[in-house]
Amino acid sequence: MIDSPWEYAPAPESREIANLKPSYRMFVDGKFVDGGGEPLKSINPATEEPLAEVSSASESDVDEAVRAARRAFDDTWSTMPGKERAKYLFRIARLIQERGRQLAVLESLDNGKPIKESRDADIPTAAAHFFHHAGWADKLGYAGYGPDPRPLGVAGQVIPWNFPLLMLAWKIAPALACGNTVVLKPAETTPLTALVFAEICQQAGLPPGVVNILPGAGDIGAALVAHPGVDKVAFTGSTEVGKQIQRSVAGSGKKLTLELGGKAANIVFDDAPLDQAVEGIVNGIFFNQGHVCCAGSRLLVQESIADELLEKLRVRVQTLRVGDPLDKNTDVGAINSAEQLAKITELAASGDAEGAQRWTSPCPLPEKGFFFSPTVFSDVQQSMRIAREEIFGPVLSVLTFRTPAEAIAKANNTPYGLSAGIWTEKGSRILWAAQRLRAGVVWANTFNRFDPTAPFGGYQESGFGREGGRAGLEAYLDV
Amino acid sequence: MSDNRTPERLAVAKTYKLYIGGSFPRSESGRVYPVHDRQGAFLANAAHASRKDVRDAVAAARKAFGGWSGATAYNRGQVLFRIAEVMEGRREQFAAEISAAEGLSRKQSRSTVDDAVDRMVWYAGWTDKISMVLGAANPVAGPYFSFSVPEPTGVVGVLAPPDSSLLGLISVVAPVITAGNTCVVVASADRPLPAVTFAEVLATSDVPDGVVNVLTGRAAELAPWLAAHADVNALDPTGAPEELRAELAKTAADTVKRVLPVRGEPDWTREPDLQRLRAFTEVKTVWHPVGT
């Protein structure tokens, strides 16, 4: 830590609020049931202590859940008037808001993310997604896909561990609004909020089978997307797994959307307001420990201001408090798993080996748990692994450029294309750069903004399809 | 004086070639294949494109992408309309080729040409409306201006339908370039001549070189290279043999290509919808803070 007169007393959120149970069961056809798979042990990544035991699905459970979803689709959900579906979704949105504090604490326990982020970003945005899509359920004829667009059927959905409840909301809200039923597999390491969401479905009186939650590992995800009873597959996760899913779905006639990895360029021009840019850079790469597919992991700085900006950046990054996710003062929480920590460590080591300059924040780290100090690599070349591969951790790679055209060329020099950032005071340059960046989301003088009305999704190997807004409905309609 | 066995005038037979980057080269492979009419009579030899021709065509399409996607919608609309104008002038030539290829009466063929020209006009009018219809100003909950606009996906590999040699070809190419993409088109293998004539139309229609590249040859042979090519962003497998489509979709997964879902050959006489425009379009969302 830098010498600071400001000493923060710990301000921990109470873990009692999470109502943590010793065991959780999977949710099929409106009931909590024991799965046929080997139970999962969900651990707290900040302490490495077990949190709860979670029953996991076997392949026959996948079959059971898909059948339940099919029955619910045929018998109730697809035939129900949109205005009735809407009211269920509004109920769910309100129930998430009512139980927001419980969900936030549980999310931070299970995922390791700081409570201020789960409390202020994840959970409210999840509720907002249900609220927004509720209003679509009875207005689909106005969405631009013809007067009477039809649902697809049963959606098989697989989501990652970085935003467990938020990704669930991104997947389930539009699916239900459009009249589909769902079988969702949460990530192996973060299943807990999804199972509390199942309780919320019960509280909302949602008809049995409309939502089914199957905890499990990758094999259950693979079985789900390959199941012949599934009409639509939606996946958020790594590009590597996305490619496997695209292969497995090929030729089946299932509709597919993929939200995959990224290696976003965050471009700072010489006229940018530097203090503001520094905040945006920090938010871009250290938000959620960098476990963000659209993280601004490649900083492109105009050469003339690079030294000044890097100096400011290091000073700012030193003030980030790494530690207990439940402490309200924590900025950077725990890495989600030992496996992920090993991956980050390995990629960072490749940066050293390939000749980049590593700078690590001198912040103290907790003794237990999975933590990684905020790290900034400078003198990074485009060919280095840390400039090409998604690290998915609090590691920033800094490159420089001289002209705007060079900035665009370097930014687009990647097979990914999920997001990008632009920092400049010049409006015409923002619009010029935004047009040329091959990325699905472009943040100008801001970063990491999300809203259910704003479509999100990638170009190229960052996947296809959009989530949010009118464009996002296409994924769940037969158009 | 005239000899009855000699025609009054011997027709000038045409050598059919590929269309790549605005030029009409022979296939790099030197191969050709014979094209016959519906009765089995020899019409011409068509160029039998190779893997290398596919790569050259993709390179040409990529080179053209920046200019075409960056052109104003108004300009692209004018160019598309110009294609329709030049097609109209070649009505009789197209009709004769369609009659030979598809066995239609001259009257039916003319009607098909008319439909193809009208379709190009329909798409010409779409260039400056896609953003309005597929884009939005997003009412986000915060002090930000957020808007979404559709943008072209990039280079599209198009396997033109096997049966409808002109109307089908126009129906798959027009939406791709209307949205601002560039493309590599593999023409119907058995009925390629209207496609080559269409290439001549493109060459004289103010369409920038490389925006549309037309290959003649075998879809089954060329499609896997298009599906695997890392610089092809999307694939329309309409003209691929049914049994090959799943294989192409698998290959396309290596580069997360967009693959248009198709079954059989669509009815091209039906009024088109936006599906093909949407399929080769990416929605880009831009955010900026609002404040003083």
Side-chain angles (χ1 to χ4, degrees):
Chain A
M1 275 309 264
I2 52 168
D3 291 330
S4 164
W6 305 105
E7 287 299 328
Y8 285 79
E13 181 62 279
S14 165
R15 70 180 271 162
E16 301 308 313
I17 294 167
N19 286 336
L20 192 65
K21 296 189 291 188
S23 70
Y24 289 80
R25 297 201 290 172
M26 48 181 238
F27 186 65
V28 175
D29 206 14
K31 293 183 288 289
F32 288 97
V33 295
D34 286 320
E38 196 63 22
L40 304 169
K41 283 216 171 24
S42 198
I43 65 152
N44 179 347
T47 60
E48 303 178 49
E49 287 161 4
L51 281 174
E53 190 170 277
V54 180
S55 78
S56 85
S58 64
E59 285 209 24
S60 67
D61 295 322
V62 172
D63 195 51
E64 194 69 32
V66 171
R67 281 170 203 277
R70 171 66 54 194
R71 280 194 303 273
F73 177 77
D74 291 339
D75 298 345
T76 57
W77 199 248
S78 70
T79 55
M80 184 186 291
K83 64 174 186 174
E84 299 301 316
R85 284 205 309 273
K87 286 186 281 185
Y88 281 109
L89 289 169
F90 279 125
R91 280 186 178 186
I92 292 172
R94 281 289 193 243
L95 288 165
I96 291 174
Q97 289 172 328
E98 287 165 18
R99 298 176 69 172
R101 201 159 170 215
Q102 177 199 356
L103 287 164
V105 176
L106 187 60
E107 197 79 308
S108 283
L109 278 173
D110 200 18
N111 170 280
K113 64 175 66 205
I115 185 71
K116 70 173 184 184
E117 289 177 4
S118 52
R119 180 193 63 197
D120 299 346
D122 292 50
I123 310 302
T125 313
H129 269 266
F130 279 97
F131 204 89
H132 173 72
H133 285 95
W136 270 125
D138 54 358
K139 298 169 194 68
L140 294 171
Y142 295 93
Y145 300 104
D148 186 25
R150 309 302 306 158
L152 292 160
V154 175
Q157 308 178 315
V158 178
I159 57 170
W161 47 261
N162 58 341
F163 293 93
L165 189 75
L166 184 57
M167 290 298 108
L168 173 147
W170 281 28
K171 293 283 178 290
I172 293 183
L176 297 194
C178 293
N180 306 277
T181 56
V182 308
V183 179
L184 177 132
K185 188 197 87 68
E188 192 179 355
T189 58
T190 55
L192 300 186
T193 45
L195 296 167
V196 174
F197 176 80
E199 286 176 17
I200 286 173
C201 292
Q202 281 188 329
Q203 290 180 337
L206 199 67
V210 172
V211 168
N212 304 274
I213 311 279
L214 295 183
D219 57 329
I220 294 305
L224 175 58
V225 302
H227 195 286
V230 165
D231 305 291
K232 193 255 154 20
V233 170
F235 172 74
T236 294
S238 72
T239 292
E240 186 194 342
V241 176
K243 288 178 179 180
Q244 286 169 18
I245 290 176
Q246 191 177 358
R247 269 182 223 115
S248 113
V249 167
S252 68
K254 291 173 191 172
K255 195 162 179 169
L256 174 67
T257 44
L258 299 172
E259 295 285 359
L260 309 178
K263 193 73 191 172
N266 206 355
I267 306 171
V268 184
F269 289 100
D270 58 8
D271 67 338
L274 288 193
D275 292 322
Q276 204 179 315
V278 163
E279 290 306 309
I281 295 161
V282 167
N283 173 260
I285 186 63
F286 299 117
F287 177 66
N288 205 42
Q289 297 73 246
H291 300 331
V292 186
C293 49
C294 52
S297 53
R298 280 185 301 153
L299 178 63
L300 298 181
V301 194
Q302 198 147 16
E303 204 175 84
S304 53
I305 55 157
D307 291 342
E308 188 187 355
L309 181 77
L310 266 175
E311 187 51 40
K312 280 177 181 283
L313 182 64
R314 287 180 189 132
V315 169
R316 176 65 179 90
V317 173
Q318 284 179 48
T319 66
L320 292 176
R321 304 170 67 84
V322 182
D324 180 7
L326 284 193
D327 190 325
K328 293 166 196 161
N329 294 321
T330 292
D331 299 302
V332 178
I335 302 301
N336 181 249
S337 64
E339 185 193 2
Q340 185 59 26
L341 181 59
K343 193 185 151 203
I344 297 167
T345 306
E346 193 263 323
L347 269 160
S350 84
D352 296 328
E354 291 184 310
Q357 295 303 313
R358 185 203 285 237
W359 176 88
T360 302
S361 172
C363 62
L365 294 187
E367 283 175 10
K368 278 211 307 191
F370 313 130
F371 291 92
F372 196 90
S373 299
T375 297
V376 178
F377 278 105
S378 51
D379 292 339
V380 174
Q381 303 302 316
Q382 294 184 82
S383 57
M384 292 179 184
R385 285 183 68 199
I386 54 170
R388 307 205 65 80
E389 297 180 28
E390 188 178 40
I391 299 177
F392 226 63
V395 180
L396 180 67
S397 296
V398 185
L399 299 89
T400 58
F401 67 89
R402 290 184 178 174
T403 64
E406 187 189 345
I408 301 297
K410 282 184 167 165
N412 287 341
N413 180 18
T414 169
Y416 293 115
L418 188 50
S419 64
I422 306 165
W423 298 86
T424 170
E425 290 281 51
K426 197 171 173 187
S428 58
R429 187 185 282 151
I430 290 172
L431 297 174
W432 175 89
Q435 267 182 348
R436 278 157 186 77
L437 289 166
R438 301 283 294 159
V441 189
V442 177
W443 289 292
N445 293 330
T446 184
F447 210 90
N448 274 343
R449 300 290 155 200
F450 307 95
D451 192 278
T453 66
F456 179 93
Y459 282 50
Q460 304 192 117
E461 294 195 15
S462 288
F464 42 75
R466 293 294 178 269
E467 296 184 285
R470 198 160 54 94
L473 296 174
E474 186 193 345
Y476 291 97
L477 294 172
D478 184 14
V479 288
Chain B
M1 294 284 284
S2 67
D3 183 346
N4 284 339
R5 289 170 304 171
T6 305
E8 278 184 25
R9 178 179 173 277
L10 185 66
V12 176
K14 178 171 159 186
T15 297
Y16 286 80
K17 298 185 200 168
L18 306 175
Y19 182 55
I20 299 175
S23 303
F24 291 92
R26 291 186 166 86
S27 169
E28 159 280 338
S29 64
R31 298 179 303 176
V32 295
Y33 70 102
V35 179
H36 299 98
D37 70 10
R38 290 283 281 178
Q39 280 71 47
F42 176 78
L43 286 174
N45 283 312
H48 190 159
S50 66
R51 176 188 179 184
K52 175 70 162 66
D53 294 319
V54 168
R55 283 163 52 191
D56 290 347
V58 171
R62 174 57 62 194
K63 193 173 164 197
F65 179 69
W68 183 244
S69 61
T72 64
Y74 181 53
N75 181 226
R76 282 206 307 271
Q78 299 229 335
V79 171
L80 283 157
F81 186 75
R82 176 79 179 141
I83 298 174
E85 286 178 353
V86 180
M87 284 176 75
E88 184 85 28
R90 297 239 195 173
R91 193 164 174 257
E92 286 305 312
Q93 183 187 357
F94 276 124
E97 284 172 342
I98 292 169
S99 289
E102 300 179 29
L104 301 178
S105 72
R106 190 53 70 92
K107 191 177 165 210
Q108 288 169 317
S109 293
R110 283 198 190 105
S111 160
T112 300
V113 178
D114 293 346
D115 286 348
V117 174
D118 290 355
R119 184 140 307 164
M120 191 55 85
V121 172
W122 190 78
Y123 277 109
W126 262 114
T127 56
D128 58 358
K129 293 162 194 76
I130 305 174
S131 283
M132 283 189 253
V133 173
L134 300 184
N138 309 312
V140 297
Y144 298 93
F145 176 49
S146 172
F147 62 95
S148 295
V149 285
E151 289 191 342
T153 299
V155 174
V156 182
V158 179
L159 304 168
D163 293 339
S164 182
S165 58
L166 183 68
L167 181 57
L169 176 78
I170 298 302
S171 301
V172 295
V173 172
V176 168
I177 59 174
T178 298
N181 302 284
T182 58
C183 59
V184 176
V185 187
V186 180
S188 164
D190 294 335
R191 303 165 177 185
L193 303 192
V196 178
T197 303
F198 178 60
E200 292 170 3
V201 166
L202 294 169
T204 51
S205 302
D206 307 326
V207 180
D209 295 349
V211 169
V212 180
N213 303 276
V214 182
L215 304 179
T216 50
R218 300 287 165 199
E221 180 189 338
L222 303 176
W225 302 116
L226 278 171
H229 199 302
D231 211 19
V232 173
N233 302 98
L235 190 69
D236 173 357
T238 303
E242 193 82 48
E243 64 278 6
L244 185 65
R245 285 186 191 155
E247 200 48 49
L248 292 176
K250 268 202 182 73
T251 305
D254 290 341
T255 46
V256 199
K257 267 186 195 64
R258 288 89 178 108
V259 182
L260 184 77
V262 278
R263 283 231 162 75
E265 184 166 335
D267 174 7
W268 304 112
T269 60
R270 284 182 48 197
E271 176 91 354
D273 58 21
L274 293 189
Q275 197 202 6
R276 284 173 178 271
L277 280 175
R278 278 204 322 263
F280 303 116
T281 299
E282 306 283 353
V283 172
K284 175 184 279 177
T285 299
V286 181
W287 291 67
H288 195 276
V290 172
T292 54

